[in-house]
Amino acid sequence: MKPRMTFEEHVEMGLGLARLRDELVHRTVQLSNAYPKSGPESVPAQRLEKALNAIDKARSELEDMLYGEHQEQAGTSVYYPQRENRR
């Protein structure tokens, strides 16, 4: 059996994914404001949207794992940290 992540590793992962998501949201909005919302020019923004959905699903699944592995320390702020804590 493989070792599980420590609580500290979950915190680091949560912060990294939150930052990554913030950056993808920014870039998606940037593309959406610069190019049409349909047609071939909309494809890059649509792909970033799919990446955002994948990150959201991974965060949710990782949060479930966190609660299963570290019940006493787990909290929703690990994978969904406040914006001011993401820097």
Side-chain angles (χ1 to χ4, degrees):
M1 185 158 123
K2 290 190 175 196
R4 303 296 186 233
M5 289 174 46
T6 66
F7 177 74
E8 291 75 21
E9 290 171 323
H10 276 285
V11 170
E12 182 182 348
M13 179 71 71
L15 286 172
L17 290 174
R19 288 180 190 132
L20 181 58
R21 187 183 192 288
D22 288 346
E23 180 67 19
L24 283 174
V25 167
H26 172 73
R27 298 301 175 181
T28 302
V29 170
Q30 183 181 16
L31 287 174
S32 295
N33 288 335
Y35 294 99
K37 299 203 185 317
S38 61
E41 293 178 312
S42 69
V43 172
Q46 291 171 3
R47 294 198 191 288
L48 290 183
E49 281 286 339
K50 287 182 181 181
L52 281 167
N53 290 334
I55 287 172
D56 288 343
K57 287 178 184 177
R59 288 168 81 191
S60 177
E61 292 163 353
L62 284 163
E63 185 179 57
D64 291 345
M65 293 164 66
L66 169 69
Y67 274 91
E69 297 166 9
H70 304 282
Q71 293 175 358
E72 302 80 29
Q73 296 171 290
T76 57
S77 63
V78 172
Y79 281 99
Y80 303 93
Q82 299 279 336
R83 183 168 299 274
E84 61 270 10
N85 296 334
R86 296 179 192 179
R87 294 187 169 92

